[in-house]
Amino acid sequence: MSGRLIMKLTVAEAAAVTADVSTFAFAHPRRPALPAWVPGAHVDVHLPDGAVRQYSLYGDPAERGLYRIAVKREDAGRGGSRWLHENLKVGGEIFVSAPRNHFALNADAKRHVLVAGGIGVTPLIAMARQLAAEQADFVFHYCARSRESAPLVAALEALCGDRLRLWLSAEGRRLDIAALLDAEAGADLYVCGPSALTEAAEGAAAARGWPEARYHTEHFAARADAGFTPEPFEAVIASSGRVLQVPADRSLLAVLRENGFVRGSSCEIGVCGTCECGYRDGTVIHRDVVLSHAARKTRLMPCVSRARGAITLDL
Ligand code: FES
């Protein structure tokens, strides 16, 4: 369940752009303009089996009649991308949410350094379009295996010109993220791509004391913490003093719902931010990839996050 507007949209365009990436454009069957968005936003795509997947919008926000997404087919994934590749054809229909943005450009940045890995290019293309239009100071580092496997590379070249740096591992060119951060101290850094890239960037940023406000990242995969063992804990409802027991095998979100608290959700793996909830005290084990360090002092994602002992929820 999501608190966001969900629209039944029509597939206006569908095209294969690499061996495993297809792009889709969605339009409203009657309305000429879809809800507005800014670069970095993503939409929820609702699949017929009830699953929900998040995809960044890579088009131009000024093109109000279309939402454009690119989908990499992950045959070893949870099945959503495979379904979209096999079933989404021009003229078909799909439920899509209004956009949400956890990955916006910092309007106060002096310089923007965009780092994309593979399909992670999508939100950053929209950002590059805006930065180029504003004649802002930016550079775009795009990491991929080869040019043929790099989705939307031609569009990016047209947008960025000589501000694009292509790092193609098949040609032996790999981005040194630590060296990049050393060279770009003072800039704002935006990273989207596989977890190996975002974790390397996060580690390098943390090692250099890079201010959190100037480090921006977007994840579409759950936190990789396979060794995590959930423990039971108590959730105290601040408004009533009621105490809920959260067993090791249930999420806080599930327990809240079982006890009559209506909470929206979408991904239920800690990547979308829909289920966000406030808390007042206690030791939270944050397991989402959305909240900043500052936000984690008072907010949590009950679909994945847990606690030690007891926490008091702002409910
Ligand atoms: S439902 Fe997506 S973060 Fe909780």
Side-chain angles (χ1 to χ4, degrees), residues 102-214:
H102 301 294
F103 190 46
L105 284 165
N106 175 10
D108 298 325
K110 292 193 216 51
R111 174 170 165 83
H112 305 264
V113 177
L114 281 48
V115 179
I119 193 65
V121 73
T122 49
L124 296 170
I125 285 190
M127 290 179 172
R129 185 178 292 105
Q130 178 178 325
L131 293 170
E134 292 173 349
Q135 299 188 323
D137 183 9
F138 81 99
V139 63
F140 199 121
H141 295 266
Y142 187 10
C143 310
R145 187 165 38 79
S146 63
R147 187 180 169 85
E148 295 67 39
S149 70
L152 304 167
V153 64
L156 204 52
E157 284 170 335
L159 276 175
C160 299
D162 61 8
R163 287 174 289 206
L164 179 63
R165 312 277 183 274
L166 268 182
W167 300 96
L168 303 174
S169 59
E171 297 178 9
R173 286 174 47 75
R174 290 180 189 276
L175 174 64
D176 181 338
I177 195 86
L180 176 67
L181 264 62
D182 287 338
E184 294 285 5
D188 271 50
L189 181 69
Y190 305 80
V191 185
C192 187
S195 54
L197 175 69
T198 54
E199 284 166 14
E202 273 168 8
R208 284 156 182 75
W210 195 280
E212 194 192 333
R214 290 196 284 107

Side-chain angles (χ1 to χ4, degrees), residues 253 264-276 290 301-303:
L253 178 66
S265 72
S266 173
C267 70
E268 301 201 3
I269 57 170
V271 302
C272 76
T274 307
C275 66
E276 184 176 336
V290 182
M301 296 297 169
C303 65

Side-chain angles (χ1 to χ4, degrees), residues 42-57:
H42 70 264
V43 293
D44 288 350
V45 174
H46 293 251
L47 305 177
D49 66 356
V52 182
R53 296 288 182 271
Q54 286 73 39
Y55 293 99
S56 294
L57 296 173

Side-chain angles (χ1 to χ4, degrees), residues 5-137:
L5 172 68
I6 299 172
M7 302 162 284
K8 190 194 242 183
L9 302 185
T10 304
V11 182
E13 298 172 24
V17 294
T18 72
D20 58 5
V21 174
S22 289
T23 56
F24 301 97
F26 304 132
H28 197 283
R30 293 178 305 283
R31 296 190 196 136
L34 293 164
W37 59 284
V38 295
H42 70 264
V43 293
D44 288 350
V45 174
H46 293 251
L47 305 177
D49 66 356
V52 182
R53 296 288 182 271
Q54 286 73 39
Y55 293 99
S56 294
L57 296 173
Y58 77 85
D60 184 345
E63 187 183 39
R64 291 295 309 276
L66 290 178
Y67 286 161
R68 295 184 183 276
I69 66 168
V71 180
K72 180 178 183 189
R73 180 178 175 129
E74 307 273 10
D75 284 325
R78 293 175 290 159
S81 63
R82 196 167 59 241
W83 187 91
L84 292 169
H85 273 243
E86 289 173 357
N87 295 283
L88 224 45
K89 312 281 185 221
V90 171
E93 293 177 324
I94 186 95
F95 285 94
V96 179
S97 74
R100 172 189 291 258
N101 199 341
H102 301 294
F103 190 46
L105 284 165
N106 175 10
D108 298 325
K110 292 193 216 51
R111 174 170 165 83
H112 305 264
V113 177
L114 281 48
V115 179
I119 193 65
V121 73
T122 49
L124 296 170
I125 285 190
M127 290 179 172
R129 185 178 292 105
Q130 178 178 325
L131 293 170
E134 292 173 349
Q135 299 188 323
D137 183 9

